[in-house]
Every structure is written in structure tokens, then in C-alpha cells.
Amino acid sequence: RLLQDEGQFLDERPDTDEPSFVMHWVGELYPIWVKESNNGFSISSTTFKGFVDADGTEMCLEPVQRPANFQPRRTLLSMRTTHVVQPFLSKIWAHRQLMSAELSVKQLSLAANELWLFHGTRESAAECITENEFQVRMAGSNRGTMFGPGIYLADSVTKSDEYTDPDPTGLRTMILCRCTMGRAIRQEGGGRECMKVCQAGGFHSVKGRRAYNEYIVYDENQVYPEYIIWYRRVYNIE
């Protein structure tokens, strides 16, 4: 009965009241409701929700907010609490090691703040970049330059996808790059002052913190275009 009460406020909980299973983690029990879809399974619990793909190769978990009228209660292990035990403080992704690939025999340099980042563009531009390297003088030829003329990258494929254009068959292109960020300026808004600070010395790049993280460098030598990714958007309409 307690498990059923715990799940009453969940928006994505399946029709059944009984949880699919109970998870023991960090000294607490969490009822888990699982709902199957065409491409995987959605997971709902008392303080987090998530998704597992159909092949079980990738998983995403993120916290959920309890209702404003939440009252102190006893946990499933009968411990008195006035707060919510939250195992996930932010959205996280995980994958099975067997399903991952080594992108390069040379490991990223942590000392140089080297990252794998995405760059969305047209197919013709992607092939030109991989053959001739990036060119800062071409900055802004596809989209704007909020942080000044530089090479713009992202750690989210969703963000980089915004800068792609499909061919007649719907095929899009994105470049996976090794980027040496070095000492980065964290910039919340737009403006070219950050570019001037980098060029004056002391910093090597800018990390724009908006809806998605953006990474900007002003020296072509800091970015190596390692792979071209061809893909199509898949719209999951139920």
C-alpha cells in the first residue's frame, strides 16, 4: 500500500499501481515503475525518472520534483525524514562499455583540457573542413557569431544539429572534433569582449553557458576534425 501511495503523483507512471520492482540504493528503497514503448522503456520513481533504450545499451536518468504539498513521512526503510533522498542531482547518461567505441588510439589530454566536441554544418563544408582544416576567416558563413568570429562547437548533438542542413534524401552531416580548450573563459551571455580577452593572452577559449554549452576557439590549430558523421533525424510520433 505504501508503494502505491508513493507513485500517485508521478505523471508518467503506468496504469498499474504496483511498482515493477524495488531498487536498494544509498541506504534507501526506491519503487520503480516501468512502461514499455516502441524504442525502449521509461522509468519512474519517487525522486527520479529516466529511459532505457530497447537494446539496453544506453540509459538516461534525471531528478523530478516532489509536489509542493509534500509532507514528512517514513521512508520505505522506516527512517523518519523531512526531505527527499535524491540519488540523481542532475541529468546523467550511461552506456554499456561493450557498446562504446575507442574514438582514437591517442587519449585526450586532461592537462590541456582536450575534449570531444560536435560541429554541425553542411556536407560540402564538412568535407572541405576535414580535407583542409577549419578556417576562422570563414566564421559566420553558416550562422551567427555571438561570441565573435571563431570555431563554434558543442558537447550536445542536439545543439550541433541546429546548424545542419539536410540533402534531398534527408541526410545531415556533423563533425566530431578533438578540441584543445586550454584555459577557458566562462561566458553566460553573448558579446565579443571574451574574444578580446582571449586574444590579449591568458585564456585560450570560451565556454558559453546558455541553454546548451557552446565551446569557442579562435585559433584553427586548437581543433582537429577527426570524423564526419552522416545521419538522419528520426521523429518519434506516437
Side-chain angles (χ1 to χ4, degrees), residues 33 74 98 140 160:
W33 287 267
R74 291 189 180 277
L98 293 177
S160 295

Side-chain angles (χ1 to χ4, degrees), residues 5-216:
D5 293 342
E6 282 289 321
Q8 287 182 356
F9 71 90
L10 296 174
D11 294 333
E12 300 179 10
R13 181 173 57 86
D15 296 333
T16 176
D17 288 332
E18 296 183 0
S20 304
F21 58 91
V22 177
M23 177 182 73
H24 180 260
W25 199 357
V26 290
E28 181 56 282
L29 292 177
Y30 298 88
I32 306 292
W33 287 267
V34 178
K35 184 177 181 180
E36 185 175 0
S37 63
N38 292 334
N39 56 350
F41 302 87
S42 61
I43 299 172
S44 300
S45 188
T46 53
T47 57
F48 62 90
K49 64 180 180 179
F51 177 83
V52 179
D53 69 359
D55 298 325
T57 61
E58 190 173 52
M59 176 173 62
C60 175
L61 296 168
E62 60 182 318
V64 296
Q65 298 295 323
R66 292 297 292 256
N69 61 353
F70 170 73
Q71 298 294 324
R73 63 179 178 83
R74 291 189 180 277
T75 68
L76 298 185
L77 292 180
S78 298
M79 295 182 293
R80 187 68 175 176
T81 182
T82 58
H83 66 283
V84 177
V85 179
Q86 178 55 271
F88 304 104
L89 300 180
S90 61
K91 191 172 185 178
I92 64 170
W93 292 85
H95 64 269
R96 288 187 178 178
Q97 190 64 33
L98 293 177
M99 301 299 174
S100 64
E102 290 291 339
L103 295 177
S104 175
V105 294
K106 184 179 180 181
Q107 297 297 315
L108 297 177
S109 171
L110 297 179
N113 194 14
E114 193 176 15
L115 304 172
W116 285 112
L117 297 172
F118 299 100
H119 179 82
T121 188
R122 301 181 300 272
E123 182 179 24
S124 59
E127 293 178 346
C128 181
I129 289 170
T130 52
E131 290 179 5
N132 305 293
E133 308 296 336
F134 281 95
Q135 299 181 43
V136 171
R137 64 181 179 84
M138 299 296 293
S141 59
N142 188 25
R143 299 292 170 88
T145 54
M146 176 174 286
F147 299 97
I151 301 168
Y152 286 67
L153 306 112
D155 56 15
S156 168
V157 292
T158 302
K159 175 61 179 177
S160 295
D161 176 73
E162 296 177 3
Y163 301 93
T164 64
D165 292 317
D167 70 5
T169 67
L171 200 65
R172 296 172 183 266
T173 51
M174 192 178 297
I175 307 174
L176 183 60
C177 308
R178 295 177 72 111
C179 179
T180 302
M181 292 290 290
R183 189 180 180 198
I185 300 173
R186 295 179 181 269
Q187 185 81 6
E188 298 293 338
R192 301 196 176 192
E193 290 301 318
C194 53
M195 178 189 68
K196 296 177 181 178
V197 173
C198 282
Q199 293 174 339
F203 291 91
H204 311 97
S205 62
V206 174
K207 182 178 180 180
R209 300 172 63 88
R210 300 194 296 156
Y212 293 96
N213 292 328
E214 293 187 78
Y215 301 80
I216 306 94

